[in-house]
Amino acid sequence: MTPAIDLEATANRLDSYTPAAFHMEHHHHHKDTADLLMEAKEAQRIKTLEIMDARAELLRAKLSDDASSVTTAVDSNSGSPEKVVDDFHDPCGPFEGPEKLLELWFAEEPSDVSACRWSDPDARPDHFGLRSVPKAVWETMLDIVKCKVLSVIQGSHVDAYLLSESSMFVFPHKLILKTCGTTTLLLGLEKLLTIAAKALAGLNTAATFAKLSTPESEDADDNDEASTAMSDSSFIQERQLGSIVKHAFYSRKSFMFPERQKGPHRDWMLEVAVLDRFFDHGSAYTVGKMNGDHWLLWMGCEGAREAEVSSVVERPLTLPAPCVEDQTLEILMTHLSSASCARFVFDEELPHPTVAECFPRKQLTAAEASAPASSLDKGHALGLALSNKLGLTELFPDTEIDAFAFEPCGYSANAVMPRGGKNDNAGYWTIHVTPEEDSSYASFETNVALCSNSPAADALDETTLQLPTNLPSLVRRVVDIFEPGKMSVTLFVSTSEQEEEQVGSDKAVLTNEDILHALSIKGYKRTDRIAYEFERYNLVFVSFEKRRSR
């Protein structure tokens, strides 16, 4: 039998523990349960000190600008390559495909910021809110993140920035920043919020920090902590900046090469610590297997905002409702097939694509069709030609696409289209591919909510290339293009009070969460399935692995 453990005696030993006493005891007897617990406590203490040192180093790093190396970007106005100076990534070793994803909501709808504009003379005309911020200003933030703007497409409701490392989408009232490699996304958070605060200066906000100056507890230790917080002016400034954000989300897949990351991105808890400095009431989650592929999520609630009755905008009740008002679908894929990887390798000797390859729907003469697409630089022309070949330009109707092919390999694309939202009609999708076979990765993300009551995907002819009509058909279409060995699918959906009241009642139509929860993909086995219910949002996480052929 296993001997009983005297927990009280063990606790007393731990409380009186010192490293010197610990080493002295170990000269006289073998380890018992208390010894093992003391070792664990010491290891945890050392780990805590390491994290604290790393956090201090992080704060110092925010004030410094490291030495630079040279990389190439494309100026979106001229379309020609230019040399730029940047503290870039180590060119040696594998590239980290999985992205860091930050989404910040400063208001619920675009109309809420219609009176806000960038105050400087360089403001973009005919735009309001965050879209009035000029490109050059956003680039000052992206320099801190360590990525460059390749090109920009301006949709009716959103600006899509194609970056050297992924994408940025700027709406009037919110912003999405997605970066891969060893970019330092969270180090750019302070600059991003500073820009947003200036652009949205007319927004009704009230940053109240009474809780920092008037501690609730009379305990001396609590007062000391409050005094320390008050003396940290940078902390107060960060909280003031964070208070303009209504909702904040940060997420990423587990890294393939975490040891190559920089700044706070070396450790998930360091990333959480940075976010917690800016935002109140944040919560961090690990979704999936800790000893396998998993997805990390941080959510922050509404900032210190006082909504005045006079600022409420009345809207007609007869507007058609979308499937959901806010939905984000992510498909994160690894172990792409060799054939799929080969599609995204671009040799220097490849010819410049023709006009017909880039614009297949244009009415062209034979001479025009065979001429090089000289209106695009080679990277954009190769990217657009491949997008057409893979059918990506036909994923959704009325799509405007911006794609880039990297030499010797790699691919990125942004697309904007109407999404059918009731109050926000700005739809987008974005794709990024890292095709190195030892660390291949591809991601697909969209906020377009295909209605769950569309025709069943199983009834479609899988041999025919068709416009996806529902969530399963979209997932299968993407999977067929990239042929991953493993993948995870996450669906983040906003919920209304009316929907929450219907929980437990019979539903005439399955929701997209229900459909994803039950999703099956031919040739794949499901390895994980998790559902979360947060305040205002539901999350479904499903992972798949390709079945081995017998």
Side-chain angles (χ1 to χ4, degrees):
M1 293 179 60
T2 303
I5 299 175
D6 187 338
L7 295 179
E8 183 176 354
T10 299
N12 291 336
R13 289 188 64 188
L14 288 174
D15 289 338
S16 61
Y17 164 77
T18 63
F22 172 74
H23 290 299
M24 184 176 294
E25 283 188 55
H26 270 64
H27 287 294
H28 301 290
H29 59 77
H30 296 291
K31 296 179 182 178
D32 59 12
T33 302
D35 294 329
L36 295 174
L37 289 174
M38 285 189 289
E39 283 187 336
K41 183 177 180 179
E42 173 65 2
Q44 182 61 44
R45 185 185 70 84
I46 293 173
K47 178 66 174 176
T48 301
L49 291 174
E50 289 175 349
I51 291 177
M52 291 175 65
D53 289 342
R55 288 176 180 172
E57 180 185 342
L58 164 64
L59 294 176
R60 288 193 297 270
K62 290 171 65 177
L63 303 176
S64 64
D65 194 9
D66 297 334
S68 301
S69 59
V70 177
T71 187
T72 300
V74 175
D75 181 78
S76 63
N77 296 321
S78 65
S80 59
E82 60 175 4
K83 290 292 182 181
V84 292
V85 177
D86 181 43
D87 177 10
F88 225 52
H89 321 292
D90 181 2
C92 302
F95 186 82
E96 184 70 68
E99 303 97 341
K100 313 161 184 83
L101 175 60
L102 177 69
E103 182 169 339
L104 301 177
W105 289 61
F106 300 90
E108 294 289 352
E109 301 171 7
S111 59
D112 294 338
V113 298
S114 59
C116 303
R117 283 173 178 78
W118 185 253
S119 57
D120 290 352
D122 60 349
R124 295 177 61 204
D126 304 321
H127 291 88
F128 61 89
L130 298 177
R131 293 190 71 192
S132 66
V133 178
K135 169 175 165 280
V137 174
W138 289 125
E139 287 178 322
T140 63
M141 178 271 294
L142 294 172
D143 284 343
I144 300 172
V145 176
K146 308 305 179 189
C147 58
K148 294 295 177 183
V149 176
L150 299 177
S151 50
V152 186
I153 51 175
Q154 299 176 16
S156 301
H157 307 279
V158 59
D159 299 319
Y161 288 72
L162 196 63
L163 307 179
S164 55
E165 276 75 23
S166 299
S167 302
M168 180 172 73
F169 294 90
V170 180
F171 305 76
H173 64 304
K174 66 179 181 179
L175 182 143
I176 298 171
L177 179 57
K178 186 172 190 173
T179 66
C180 58
T182 56
T183 50
T184 51
L185 187 152
L186 289 179
L187 293 187
L189 180 56
E190 183 173 353
K191 183 67 173 180
L192 192 164
L193 292 173
T194 301
I195 295 170
K198 183 175 179 178
L200 304 176
L203 197 62
N204 179 39
T205 60
T208 57
F209 299 96
K211 60 184 175 182
L212 290 177
S213 56
T214 56
E216 296 179 2
S217 173
E218 297 298 326
D219 184 80
D221 291 338
D222 290 342
N223 287 332
D224 289 342
E225 291 180 6
S227 299
T228 301
M230 283 299 297
S231 65
D232 187 350
S233 59
S234 64
F235 175 78
I236 295 177
Q237 180 184 7
E238 289 162 351
R239 278 299 170 91
Q240 288 174 332
L241 288 171
S243 70
I244 69 172
V245 176
K246 199 169 184 67
H247 308 292
F249 306 91
Y250 177 76
S251 64
R252 64 171 174 84
K253 182 186 178 298
S254 51
F255 288 132
M256 296 179 180
F257 312 102
E259 71 282 356
R260 294 176 59 81
Q261 291 299 313
K262 299 179 180 180
H265 303 292
R266 292 173 295 179
D267 185 278
W268 171 240
M269 292 312 298
L270 289 177
E271 293 173 299
V272 170
V274 172
L275 292 161
D276 284 343
R277 284 185 66 88
F278 285 92
F279 306 112
D280 268 331
H281 310 300
S283 300
Y285 301 87
T286 298
V287 184
K289 300 174 182 176
M290 284 294 293
N291 60 344
D293 283 344
H294 54 273
W295 191 67
L296 300 162
L297 169 68
W298 183 96
M299 297 174 60
C301 72
E302 182 171 345
R305 172 164 298 152
E306 294 179 355
E308 296 180 353
V309 176
S310 60
S311 66
V312 176
V313 179
E314 293 187 3
R315 298 179 179 83
L317 299 177
T318 56
L319 285 174
C323 306
V324 290
E325 190 55 35
D326 181 32
Q327 171 178 302
T328 301
L329 171 71
E330 273 194 289
I331 308 174
L332 309 179
M333 299 162 280
T334 60
H335 302 81
L336 311 184
S337 71
S338 298
S340 177
C341 288
R343 299 185 190 113
F344 302 98
V345 175
F346 305 97
D347 190 271
E348 291 183 6
E349 304 303 319
L350 282 175
H352 197 107
T354 65
V355 175
E357 290 174 316
C358 293
F359 307 102
R361 292 185 175 276
K362 271 191 175 182
Q363 296 293 327
L364 303 167
T365 65
E368 290 172 335
S370 59
S374 56
S375 62
L376 300 172
D377 63 80
K378 188 176 180 181
H380 283 91
L382 285 170
L384 184 56
L386 181 61
S387 302
N388 287 313
K389 185 177 180 180
L390 296 177
L392 295 174
T393 51
E394 305 299 325
L395 275 180
F396 300 110
D398 303 320
T399 295
E400 182 180 1
I401 189 170
D402 181 19
F404 192 86
F406 296 88
E407 293 181 356
C409 63
Y411 168 89
S412 288
N414 288 339
V416 296
M417 73 290 296
R419 67 181 290 264
K422 179 174 64 175
N423 302 317
D424 179 6
N425 199 35
Y428 73 89
W429 63 249
T430 182
I431 290 175
H432 303 282
V433 184
T434 303
E436 291 94 331
E437 288 203 25
D438 291 338
S439 55
S440 60
Y441 172 83
S443 67
F444 172 85
E445 177 188 339
T446 185
N447 71 336
V448 177
L450 295 172
C451 293
S452 56
N453 58 352
S454 299
D458 293 335
L460 299 176
D461 180 3
E462 294 186 0
T463 63
T464 305
L465 195 63
Q466 303 184 49
L467 193 71
T469 56
N470 55 23
L471 188 144
S473 62
L474 175 60
V475 172
R476 289 168 186 163
R477 177 79 165 271
V478 172
V479 170
D480 287 344
I481 292 173
F482 297 103
E483 301 172 351
K486 295 181 178 181
M487 64 177 159
S488 61
V489 184
T490 60
L491 183 69
F492 214 56
V493 184
S494 64
T495 58
S496 65
E497 292 181 2
Q498 182 180 5
E499 289 172 334
E500 291 172 357
E501 291 173 358
Q502 293 176 348
V503 172
S505 63
D506 293 334
K507 291 181 284 187
V509 178
L510 291 175
T511 65
N512 278 333
E513 302 103 285
D514 297 328
I515 291 172
L516 179 58
H517 202 265
L519 179 67
S520 63
I521 301 176
K522 186 177 180 181
Y524 289 83
K525 63 178 180 180
R526 187 172 56 234
T527 56
D528 216 343
R529 179 173 57 187
I530 300 170
Y532 273 92
E533 289 186 5
F534 303 109
E535 185 176 354
R536 294 193 52 178
Y537 281 90
N538 289 340
L539 167 68
V540 178
F541 170 92
V542 186
S543 60
F544 295 90
E545 187 174 318
K546 198 172 186 66
R547 296 184 185 275
R548 294 183 179 180
S549 56
R550 297 180 179 178

